[in-house]
Amino acid sequence: MAPNTEEPKVVAASEVSTPEVLNGPKDTKLLDGDEKTYDDPEAKQEKIKYPRSVAFIIGTEFCERFSYYGMKAILTLYLHNELKYSEDDSTVIYHVWSMLCYFTPILGAIIADTFLGRFRTIFYISIIYVMGNAVLSISAVPPIFPDLGAKIGVSLTGLFLIAVGTGGIKPCVSAFGGDQFVVPQQERQLTQFFSIFYFSINAGSLISTYVTPILRDNIHCFGSDCYSLAFGVPAVLMLIALLIFVLGYITRLYKMYPANGSALTDVSRCIAHAISRKFKSKEKKNHWLDHASDKFDKELINDVKVLLKILLLYIPLPFFWALFDQQGSRWTFQATRMDGQIGEYTLKPDQMQVVNPLFILLFIPVFDTFVYPLLARCNLLKRQLPRMFVGGVLAGVAFLVSGFLELKLQTTYPVALNSGETRVSFINGLPCEVNVDVPWDEKSITLPELQDHIFKSIPINEANMTVNISLHFDKSNCGNVKDGHDLYEITLADKTAHAVLITADTSFAQVVNIEPPDDFMKSQSGLPKLRMLFNLGMVHFNSSVHLVGKFDTYDFPIEETPQGYISGTEFQEVEPDSYKVFVPNREGDPVEILNTRLHVKLGGVYNFLVQKSLDDTNNSTTMKLFEVTPSNSVHILWLLPQYIIITISEIMFSITGLEFSFTQAPSSMKSVLQAAWLLTVSFGNLIVVIIAEAKFFKSQAMEFFLFAVLMFVDMIIFAALAVTYRYVDEVKDDDTSGKRQGVDNECFSDDETKF
């Protein structure tokens, strides 16, 4: 998530109040026709009450950010696990959607400034937003959309509506809050409002990023993880946001201004006209924009010149967001391959995204109070552009850290089978030691009672190959098992992991190649994968073995198969936990297997054997867990260093960049710079899409290193552009009316360059 890209627009005095409000009485018309009159602040310096309307705006923003980041936290895994996209395709869709979320603010700003005004724009587009959340939530209900194609289509439609909604209101809400204040009398309160507004953004994202994955994983709907409920909660929060916003209107507290034209459209028209005139006219000008002087006033042309100089510095900025926004995609997938167990609690992979807003809230006061003043005493990073440069470099460092961590994780991943390979796991269910002779190994393998042995790679020359194996065991000391065949036949398939169970039917030894085969690759979600192997004699078919944990219960059905009473189930993803096991008796009633627990951990793949007793001295049921693939061994908290570095990077790059954009831009161009800043986020996500689709490397670690190197090169380009930039001197001058004024940024002053 990128809470700082939602930095509220700091509204200048000229933008918050019209000249009539500042210089004399003004009748501000509300939508319902009521009128309010504001006294001239020069004539009457009375204390103006803090506008109660901002409480509704803050509440609206909190609920909207809760909705947005809650949905975004689980989106990547939903695309991967439920819609069955690959990790690369899930990453592409996630970043295309993020790109759209940061492109639509331009449309929202134009609609608000040119046609509807801020209130109506927020209201109408929020309805689209609510509809998008509702559509996405409904698409995740399996009974409604059992067909994957229809489910994908409806889900992507919902995401598109959400992108239009969140982007459309993004540039309007904070500015609408600023409209509620009268300046210069309430400048201090206005600054306080933006601080509270920014806090509500991070508070909403912090809470929702933590809560939404819990809702998904701990409440089961229709036999599967309940993404429908997890998406439904953000939908309800967005509806609440809309209701809170409307309530502020019903109580007649809002101060609203009509649409009065968009600076963005004026800038576009000025540039287009200047380009057109330059090609048509032979007259030489000091600057190509001066060709627009026949239609546009000099002040606008000068402001556009300044704007273009700042936009030149924006060219390298998208690459920062290409790295930053991968917290919700590549870094989340990285977390699925790590161990999230912290005592009795399990940290979900997508919950790691909560670290960023948490550290943002903690680090901002630390940097403002201690870090920046200390660096200033050392004459370091006193200017904005050097801070942005260091922030960008730190983003590259964060990806170096993630790359080295991925190299460590790669040593824990199971190796996929190539063509011409097969895999066999022998499981001894007999109550005695067994020696197994196999044709691909000269040595016999010895399997103690209830132990297994895995051949991870066996050469195979055919798509399906039948081989013979032989068993040797002490028939006089093997419980009820008194006999067996000299040879047993099993079939091996190419690129398949086989589970071969050695057990007995009454007194005769059996070797059963369990169907379906082992699915030894780790789960896409990071949860443990578990399936049951069973030999329960005459237990009724269509009954189940129950696993009961602290929070969840899972059923493993005993169904009739071509293999008869000795068979296996499909793999299920389960929560990491310690489970009691209940097996059905001959009447079908569940009976607990005493003194036995199944312990499964994140990332592990397991078979568990439930078998009738094969020992004369024991009539109980035997249960044993076998590890197919080891659980995740690298702890998820090793992600903290890269999250801490990227958060510090965000503070130095994003927040400082917003400050730079505001202080350096002419007052008439501040809203245009805000739109341009949001566009850098959009283009950053496009970069991720291009690199993910290019598939330069099979190794994820190498891709992380590629992003780091490109970020360092990008910052060199940024430094080359920044070193020629000259800051505007910010001074406070009183005009004839005594109001606070700023100095327009002429970009090039007589001061030396300060980078």
Side-chain angles (χ1 to χ4, degrees), residues 610-684:
V610 179
Q611 180 175 259
K612 66 181 181 180
S613 175
L614 300 178
D615 193 334
D616 284 328
T617 63
N618 188 355
N619 293 321
S620 64
T621 302
T622 301
M623 195 282 296
K624 181 66 186 295
L625 183 70
F626 299 93
E627 186 180 74
V628 179
T629 301
S631 60
N632 298 340
S633 56
V634 180
H635 203 276
I636 201 169
L637 293 184
W638 281 107
L639 286 170
L640 284 179
Q642 64 199 57
Y643 271 96
I644 291 173
I645 295 171
I646 202 73
T647 301
I648 295 173
S649 168
E650 178 187 6
I651 291 172
M652 301 188 74
F653 187 94
S654 177
I655 297 178
T656 305
L658 286 163
E659 177 190 346
F660 171 81
S661 300
F662 179 76
T663 58
Q664 300 299 297
S667 59
S668 64
M669 296 291 108
K670 296 186 189 299
S671 61
V672 179
L673 258 295
Q674 183 74 0
W677 180 266
L678 293 173
L679 266 184
T680 65
V681 183
S682 180
F683 287 126

Side-chain angles (χ1 to χ4, degrees), residues 9-31:
K9 176 184 174 183
V10 182
V11 182
S14 60
E15 293 179 283
V16 175
S17 300
T18 61
E20 290 81 6
V21 172
L22 292 177
N23 299 324
K26 177 179 180 356
D27 293 338
T28 304
K29 240 183 197 333
L30 302 182
L31 258 61

Side-chain angles (χ1 to χ4, degrees), residues 316-337:
L317 302 192
F319 215 91
F320 171 83
W321 301 112
L323 274 65
F324 183 85
D325 278 348
Q326 289 187 64
Q327 292 178 80
S329 56
R330 293 300 198 196
W331 283 12
T332 298
F333 285 128
Q334 190 176 42
T336 65
R337 298 182 277 270

Side-chain angles (χ1 to χ4, degrees), residues 346-384:
T346 301
L347 187 64
K348 307 294 181 186
D350 31 17
Q351 283 181 316
M352 278 304 295
Q353 297 176 58
V354 79
V355 171
N356 177 253
L358 176 62
F359 283 156
I360 280 289
L361 295 177
L362 294 176
F363 287 174
I364 286 178
V366 172
F367 269 75
D368 289 343
T369 307
F370 300 106
V371 176
Y372 287 148
L374 181 61
L375 290 172
R377 288 187 177 184
C378 301
N379 203 30
L380 297 172
L381 304 185
K382 296 173 68 174
R383 290 284 191 169
Q384 295 150 339

Side-chain angles (χ1 to χ4, degrees), residues 147-214:
D147 179 67
L148 183 60
K151 187 174 184 177
I152 290 174
V154 176
S155 297
L156 296 182
T157 300
L159 288 174
F160 174 77
L161 294 175
I162 291 172
V164 172
T166 188
I169 68 174
K170 196 184 296 290
C172 301
V173 180
S174 61
F176 186 67
D179 287 343
Q180 310 308 305
F181 295 85
V182 177
V183 291
Q185 294 96 319
Q186 290 186 305
E187 283 193 51
R188 185 178 62 83
Q189 291 91 335
L190 179 63
T191 302
Q192 183 187 56
F193 160 74
F194 283 128
S195 298
I196 298 172
F197 187 91
Y198 185 69
F199 184 87
S200 72
I201 291 172
N202 285 275
S205 64
L206 177 67
I207 297 171
S208 63
T209 304
Y210 175 77
V211 169
T212 309
I214 294 178

Side-chain angles (χ1 to χ4, degrees), residues 122-383:
I122 296 170
F123 175 72
Y124 293 136
I125 295 183
S126 291
I127 294 174
I128 299 174
Y129 200 160
V130 172
M131 291 171 57
N133 275 296
V135 169
L136 182 61
S137 178
I138 293 171
S139 73
V141 181
I144 297 180
F145 295 101
D147 179 67
L148 183 60
K151 187 174 184 177
I152 290 174
V154 176
S155 297
L156 296 182
T157 300
L159 288 174
F160 174 77
L161 294 175
I162 291 172
V164 172
T166 188
I169 68 174
K170 196 184 296 290
C172 301
V173 180
S174 61
F176 186 67
D179 287 343
Q180 310 308 305
F181 295 85
V182 177
V183 291
Q185 294 96 319
Q186 290 186 305
E187 283 193 51
R188 185 178 62 83
Q189 291 91 335
L190 179 63
T191 302
Q192 183 187 56
F193 160 74
F194 283 128
S195 298
I196 298 172
F197 187 91
Y198 185 69
F199 184 87
S200 72
I201 291 172
N202 285 275
S205 64
L206 177 67
I207 297 171
S208 63
T209 304
Y210 175 77
V211 169
T212 309
I214 294 178
L215 289 174
R216 178 202 59 199
D217 293 334
N218 291 300
I219 299 178
H220 294 270
C221 302
F222 313 108
S224 64
D225 286 341
C226 195
Y227 276 94
S228 57
L229 178 65
F231 285 138
V233 171
V236 171
L237 263 293
M238 189 56 222
L239 180 60
I240 293 174
L242 179 58
L243 294 176
I244 292 173
F245 187 68
V246 172
L247 185 60
Y249 169 70
I250 294 174
T251 55
R252 301 184 179 183
L253 292 175
Y254 291 145
K255 187 193 305 180
M256 292 177 284
Y257 298 94
N260 56 6
S262 171
L264 185 62
T265 56
D266 292 340
V267 170
S268 301
R269 289 170 51 231
C270 179
I271 293 175
H273 184 70
I275 294 174
S276 175
R277 290 282 299 170
K278 176 177 173 59
F279 284 105
K280 293 179 181 179
S281 175
K282 295 182 179 180
E283 183 181 0
K284 292 185 178 180
K285 300 283 187 180
N286 292 331
H287 194 283
W288 63 270
L289 274 171
D290 292 332
H291 286 281
S293 59
D294 63 322
K295 187 174 181 180
F296 296 91
D297 59 57
K298 184 178 180 181
E299 182 179 0
L300 175 63
I301 294 173
N302 289 335
D303 287 349
V304 174
K305 290 179 183 178
V306 174
L307 172 69
L308 294 180
K309 291 182 174 71
I310 298 175
L311 289 181
L312 181 65
L313 289 173
Y314 275 18
I315 292 175
L317 302 192
F319 215 91
F320 171 83
W321 301 112
L323 274 65
F324 183 85
D325 278 348
Q326 289 187 64
Q327 292 178 80
S329 56
R330 293 300 198 196
W331 283 12
T332 298
F333 285 128
Q334 190 176 42
T336 65
R337 298 182 277 270
M338 304 180 75
D339 178 17
Q341 200 71 33
I342 303 176
E344 295 296 318
Y345 179 75
T346 301
L347 187 64
K348 307 294 181 186
D350 31 17
Q351 283 181 316
M352 278 304 295
Q353 297 176 58
V354 79
V355 171
N356 177 253
L358 176 62
F359 283 156
I360 280 289
L361 295 177
L362 294 176
F363 287 174
I364 286 178
V366 172
F367 269 75
D368 289 343
T369 307
F370 300 106
V371 176
Y372 287 148
L374 181 61
L375 290 172
R377 288 187 177 184
C378 301
N379 203 30
L380 297 172
L381 304 185
K382 296 173 68 174
R383 290 284 191 169

Side-chain angles (χ1 to χ4, degrees), residues 403-613:
F404 287 118
L405 178 61
E406 186 66 23
L407 288 177
K408 175 61 178 177
L409 290 175
Q410 286 177 1
T411 64
T412 69
Y413 298 162
V415 179
L417 292 170
N418 296 318
S419 181
E421 287 183 317
T422 190
R423 168 180 164 136
V424 179
S425 173
F426 286 102
I427 299 172
N428 179 22
L430 298 182
C432 61
E433 184 177 273
V434 175
N435 291 314
V436 183
D437 293 323
V438 295
W440 57 83
D441 196 332
E442 295 180 356
K443 298 180 181 179
S444 295
I445 60 171
T446 300
L447 288 175
E449 177 185 356
L450 296 178
Q451 297 296 318
D452 66 339
H453 182 88
I454 301 175
F455 291 95
K456 294 185 178 180
S457 178
I458 302 170
I460 186 172
N461 299 322
E462 306 173 35
N464 292 283
M465 182 173 68
T466 300
V467 298
N468 293 319
I469 66 171
S470 61
L471 298 182
H472 307 282
F473 60 92
D474 186 355
K475 299 180 177 64
S476 64
N477 190 31
C478 202
N480 295 335
V481 185
K482 304 298 182 183
D483 207 352
H485 294 297
D486 292 333
L487 293 174
Y488 292 89
E489 187 178 272
I490 61 173
T491 300
L492 305 181
D494 187 35
K495 300 178 67 175
T496 304
H498 299 278
V500 177
L501 176 61
I502 302 170
T503 184
D505 182 4
T506 63
S507 63
F508 203 87
Q510 299 285 344
V511 175
V512 179
N513 196 342
I514 299 295
E515 293 293 339
D518 272 341
D519 181 8
F520 68 96
M521 301 303 290
K522 292 176 181 284
S523 70
Q524 298 172 341
S525 65
L527 292 174
K529 291 198 311 191
L530 181 65
R531 72 143 165 187
M532 179 178 69
L533 311 179
F534 60 87
N535 177 13
L536 293 172
M538 299 303 292
V539 169
H540 294 289
F541 286 131
N542 300 322
S543 57
S544 296
V545 171
H546 306 288
L547 268 59
V548 179
K550 294 179 182 178
F551 306 105
D552 294 277
T553 299
Y554 299 93
D555 294 334
F556 289 82
I558 302 171
E559 298 176 341
E560 186 173 7
T561 69
Q563 297 172 321
Y565 284 93
I566 304 174
S567 189
T569 66
E570 298 281 353
F571 279 92
Q572 292 188 46
E573 292 187 10
V574 300
E575 288 294 317
D577 204 344
S578 178
Y579 292 94
K580 297 179 181 179
V581 182
F582 293 81
V583 298
N585 57 21
R586 290 184 180 274
E587 290 74 33
D589 299 322
V591 178
E592 182 181 358
I593 303 178
L594 299 176
N595 303 319
T596 303
R597 289 290 187 103
L598 283 180
H599 300 278
V600 294
K601 299 180 179 180
L602 283 172
V605 183
Y606 306 91
N607 286 317
F608 74 97
L609 173 65
V610 179
Q611 180 175 259
K612 66 181 181 180
S613 175

